[in-house]
Amino acid sequence: MGKENEAPSMDIDEKKPENSDHVNPKFTINVLQLLKSAQMQHGLRHGDYTRYRRYCSARLRRLYKSLKFTHGRGKYLRKAIVESTVTEVRFLHIVLYAAERAWSHAMEKRQLPDGPNARQRIYLIGRLRKAVKWAALFSQLCAVKGDSRTSLEAEAYASYMKGTLLFELDKNWDIALMSFKSARAVYEELGKYGDLENQVLCRERVEELEPSIRYCLHKIGESNIKTSELFDIGKTEGPALDLFKAKLEAVMDEARSQQAASMTEFNWLGHRFPISNAKTRVSILKAQELEKDLNAPAADSLPAEKKLVTFDKIFAAYDDARTSIRNDLATAGNAENVKDDLNGLDKAVSAVLGQRTIERNQLLVTIAKSKFSKNRDDKSEKATKPEGLVRLYDLLIQNATDLHDLVSSGRDRKTEEEAFAEECELKTSIFRAERCFYLAKSYSLAGKRTEAYALYCHARSLAHSTLQKLKSISNVHKELGRELETLYNDCRSNICIEHATGILEELKVPENLSKEVSSLSLNAPEKKLEKFLLEKLDLYESAVSDTSKKAVARIEPFPPPFLSVPRNPIVLDIAFNSIDFPSLENRMKKDKKGFISRLWR
């Protein structure tokens, strides 16, 4: 790809204008605010670098056309951007968006599913070099054509791009550290001035640069931070952290590969299954590390959204492991021992995946229950309906049943498998009781007291029987026991409420009926007919009388009434029978009869 000190491939002319006496206008560009706005509106809010690159290309095309700075028709003739060329601020925008386009193209290659291969990595580094060249030109032009603030921001932008290139090259960590520190120092100073929005953006950029600085210190050896602790640094979001996270992922993949060399078997419910495929080992290790993050004491303070993201990563890792196992099964041939081990490993991984699926759905139930409560702090948050909880418990019942069938499918089962199958049955019973409870809630909200009362009674009986089973087991699950006791008490209280409400409604039926009968009269009151909107256009009145009720707007009667339409007159021609027409016999052609025609008469 060439050295860093070589001339750029775009051959940017850096000659200064001859007329140095000309007073140059000073342009102002809020670089960080401009880039942040463009990035968030065109794909980088969701990490879509392809969309952002296309936006940069379209933006450059519009700038070239509006400035009439196109590079020839037919044959490409490059036009250099020098100090004398920059007569408008849009010329500086061209250089800035060219750097952004090259950078986003490099990041797009970095985000490939299997990572960039050797050829794509060469192209990625080439695009980053081009981004550095454009950023350096932008800094140079802003130093002459921009005001002091614009020049500072351009310098910080060029330093950040240089540090990003060295970060990807995985060398010259001291120079990369100096570049990132220089950019951080500029943004720290700029964050002290300007409006509130600019200060917030500068502080966010400082926070995004901090993980890269700490990683550079770690690589140099000036930091005592461990590699496993680096993941805690990059938990903040932002486009500036995507390359850092990709680098961390590559480092952790290396560590997993080294650790996978010592992993020879997978333990599950008393079984030991050998693992011969390196890809399977790495995938299982990745899933186990993510599970440790979920089960750590600090995970209780994590928001539910981040836990769901971690669950998705666990599912992806176990799916990769199952794919590798099934590929090995397809190529195993007739080796029965190998096939048995692979089938057992596939069953074990599927069972663990089923357990994590149940845990994820239970987390969704917890979120839905918190939203179901009426006494919540955030009034703008949408409340959960009981039907949504019923659907979630349907999923949990299906998950627990599938897991039970999978574990109990073997012939020679161990005691651990039998205990696990009993636990799955208990969970299924608990999920059925919970589902019945929230189904009763939905009937109660619909005003169906009889059905709700019967369902609450059924849910109480299910909870009671499951609680008795749970107490008979030696390994008593305290959490499950507490949940069942709470459910049992809720069922009892709701049974009493539904019973009392039903009796009150029954007692009120004759009273309401007598009120309605007494209000009946033979002379119905005349209803006040409201005029339609088209009939009262001269008045400033609303077409809807009561905005709180869902009343039909009285704009025009529909369907429209029938209107009398004049018909064309019916004409009867009776003069035809009274007219004496002249004879036309003298004008008719007469037949001439000869001798031959007489013979044939």
Side-chain angles (χ1 to χ4, degrees):
M1 291 305 298
K3 298 179 181 178
E4 293 177 27
N5 55 3
E6 288 180 357
S9 57
M10 63 185 110
D11 296 331
I12 298 172
D13 189 2
E14 297 181 355
K15 292 181 180 179
K16 295 185 179 180
E18 296 177 0
N19 188 9
S20 58
D21 297 332
H22 178 67
V23 178
N24 295 324
K26 297 294 183 180
F27 301 117
T28 301
I29 303 176
N30 198 334
V31 180
L32 186 58
Q33 191 170 352
L34 177 68
L35 292 182
K36 272 287 185 181
S37 175
Q39 289 172 358
M40 292 299 105
Q41 292 179 16
H42 299 93
L44 291 201
R45 187 184 296 274
H46 310 290
D48 190 354
Y49 285 96
T50 305
R51 181 183 166 194
Y52 183 60
R53 176 178 61 81
R54 290 173 180 168
Y55 162 74
C56 291
S57 300
R59 178 69 176 152
L60 284 170
R61 194 179 305 116
R62 290 195 298 270
L63 287 170
Y64 281 129
K65 286 187 177 180
S66 63
L67 291 169
K68 297 181 181 179
F69 197 69
T70 54
H71 301 285
R73 298 181 63 182
K75 186 178 179 181
Y76 177 81
L77 297 173
R78 183 192 54 79
K79 290 184 179 181
I81 298 179
V82 294
E83 294 174 8
S84 60
T85 312
V86 183
T87 56
E88 290 187 37
V89 72
R90 287 180 291 174
F91 285 101
L92 296 177
H93 285 185
I94 287 177
V95 183
L96 179 61
Y97 279 106
E100 283 289 290
R101 179 176 63 177
W103 169 77
S104 59
H105 202 174
M107 297 301 294
E108 179 187 349
K109 295 297 179 185
R110 165 56 71 185
Q111 281 195 329
L112 291 173
D114 298 328
N117 54 30
R119 192 182 189 91
Q120 290 166 342
R121 179 168 166 75
I122 292 171
Y123 185 76
L124 182 152
I125 293 173
R127 295 305 295 168
L128 278 180
R129 289 184 189 278
K130 189 66 69 70
V132 171
K133 298 294 182 183
W134 281 113
L137 177 64
F138 179 67
S139 176
Q140 176 189 344
L141 293 176
C142 287
V144 179
K145 294 291 185 177
D147 56 9
S148 57
R149 182 186 178 87
T150 304
S151 177
L152 269 176
E153 285 203 62
E155 185 181 346
Y157 180 74
S159 299
Y160 166 71
M161 280 296 175
K162 185 177 180 182
T164 303
L165 173 62
L166 296 174
F167 199 91
E168 179 61 33
L169 288 172
D170 205 0
K171 64 179 183 180
N172 295 334
W173 291 104
D174 51 347
I175 303 176
L177 178 63
M178 289 175 60
S179 300
F180 285 132
K181 281 187 174 180
S182 174
R184 183 182 65 177
V186 171
Y187 288 122
E188 282 178 349
E189 287 299 318
L190 292 176
K192 298 176 183 177
Y193 310 102
D195 56 357
L196 182 61
E197 183 181 0
N198 180 72
Q199 292 179 18
V200 171
L201 287 175
C202 289
R203 287 171 192 162
E204 287 179 356
R205 178 61 67 147
V206 169
E207 291 175 1
E208 290 174 4
L209 289 171
E210 190 65 31
S212 301
I213 292 171
R214 295 187 67 180
Y215 187 81
C216 291
L217 287 171
H218 170 70
K219 296 296 288 187
I220 293 171
E222 296 180 7
S223 175
N224 296 325
I225 190 169
K226 298 179 181 178
T227 307
S228 58
E229 298 174 3
L230 287 170
F231 268 107
D232 298 332
I233 303 174
K235 287 183 178 178
T236 54
E237 300 294 331
L241 286 169
D242 289 341
L243 188 61
F244 170 73
K245 290 179 180 178
K247 183 69 70 174
L248 278 183
E249 190 64 31
V251 170
M252 294 309 293
D253 284 340
E254 255 180 61
R256 287 191 201 105
S257 301
Q258 294 173 1
Q259 190 179 353
S262 60
M263 183 181 182
T264 57
E265 56 187 13
F266 182 72
N267 299 328
W268 176 75
L269 297 181
H271 294 280
R272 292 171 177 258
F273 302 104
I275 307 174
S276 57
N277 194 334
K279 288 185 178 179
T280 308
R281 294 175 187 168
V282 172
S283 299
I284 292 175
L285 275 174
K286 183 178 180 180
Q288 288 176 349
E289 286 176 4
L290 292 168
E291 287 171 356
K292 287 178 183 177
D293 293 341
L294 277 179
N295 298 325
D300 297 335
S301 59
L302 283 177
E305 291 76 12
K306 289 193 175 181
K307 288 184 180 180
L308 291 175
V309 171
T310 307
F311 272 117
D312 292 339
K313 292 178 181 178
I314 291 172
F315 296 155
Y318 277 125
D319 281 334
D320 292 341
R322 285 202 305 178
T323 303
S324 301
I325 293 167
R326 288 169 185 178
N327 290 337
D328 293 341
L329 267 172
T331 58
N334 297 324
E336 293 297 330
N337 293 333
V338 176
K339 278 191 172 183
D340 290 342
D341 291 338
L342 288 173
N343 282 321
L345 183 60
D346 183 36
K347 177 182 175 181
V349 171
S350 300
V352 175
L353 185 59
Q355 286 180 270
R356 301 299 165 260
T357 306
I358 290 175
E359 290 174 7
R360 177 185 177 274
N361 289 337
Q362 284 179 318
L363 178 60
L364 290 175
V365 166
T366 305
I367 297 170
K369 281 183 178 179
S370 65
K371 294 180 181 179
F372 181 74
S373 176
K374 294 181 180 178
N375 299 324
R376 59 182 186 277
D377 298 331
D378 191 2
K379 299 296 181 182
S380 63
E381 190 177 3
K382 188 177 180 182
T384 303
K385 294 183 180 179
E387 291 84 358
L389 281 161
V390 170
R391 284 192 291 272
L392 286 174
Y393 278 112
D394 281 333
L395 284 175
L396 281 168
I397 291 168
Q398 186 63 44
N399 297 147
T401 305
D402 293 342
L403 187 57
H404 176 269
D405 295 341
L406 180 66
V407 173
S408 58
S409 60
R411 285 177 286 182
D412 300 329
R413 290 188 295 167
K414 293 190 175 183
T415 55
E416 291 89 348
E417 291 180 83
E418 292 177 356
F420 189 78
E422 288 181 5
E423 187 178 345
C424 290
E425 288 180 356
L426 274 174
K427 285 184 177 179
T428 305
S429 302
I430 295 170
F431 296 151
R432 288 185 188 279
E434 293 273 5
R435 179 188 180 277
C436 190
F437 176 79
Y438 285 102
L439 188 61
K441 281 278 186 186
S442 64
Y443 275 101
S444 176
L445 292 174
K448 298 180 179 180
R449 306 297 173 193
T450 308
E451 292 85 350
Y453 180 82
L455 286 169
Y456 279 130
C457 291
H458 186 57
R460 184 183 64 174
S461 64
L462 285 174
H464 180 70
S465 60
T466 309
L467 195 58
Q468 295 300 321
K469 286 181 184 178
L470 194 63
K471 289 179 180 178
S472 64
I473 299 174
S474 58
N475 297 326
V476 179
H477 298 274
K478 294 182 180 180
E479 293 183 2
L480 293 178
R482 284 195 293 268
E483 287 179 9
L484 279 173
E485 287 177 359
T486 305
L487 178 63
Y488 182 80
N489 295 331
D490 288 344
C491 289
R492 286 188 61 189
S493 60
N494 280 281
I495 285 169
C496 297
I497 292 170
E498 290 300 323
H499 192 192
T501 309
I503 291 172
L504 283 174
E505 289 178 355
E506 283 290 329
L507 293 174
K508 285 183 179 179
V509 168
E511 184 181 350
N512 294 334
L513 186 60
S514 62
K515 284 183 181 180
E516 291 177 2
V517 170
S518 62
S519 63
L520 292 175
S521 63
L522 296 176
N523 299 323
E526 295 183 0
K527 292 183 179 180
K528 185 180 178 181
L529 296 177
E530 294 185 10
K531 291 183 178 182
F532 290 97
L533 179 64
L534 295 179
E535 297 175 358
K536 52 179 182 179
L537 293 177
D538 55 335
L539 301 175
Y540 190 74
E541 293 181 4
S542 173
V544 182
S545 57
D546 191 0
T547 56
S548 62
K549 297 180 181 178
K550 294 182 179 179
V552 181
R554 296 180 62 81
I555 298 174
E556 188 179 5
F558 187 84
F562 290 102
L563 298 176
S564 59
V565 179
R567 181 73 173 85
N568 291 334
I570 300 172
V571 179
L572 300 176
D573 195 358
I574 58 177
F576 180 79
N577 298 327
S578 302
I579 297 174
D580 293 333
F581 293 97
S583 177
L584 301 175
E585 291 183 0
N586 57 345
R587 295 187 180 185
M588 293 175 63
K589 188 176 180 180
K590 296 181 179 180
D591 296 335
K592 293 183 180 181
K593 298 179 181 179
F595 175 74
I596 303 287
S597 62
R598 290 192 194 125
L599 293 175
W600 296 102
R601 282 181 89 177

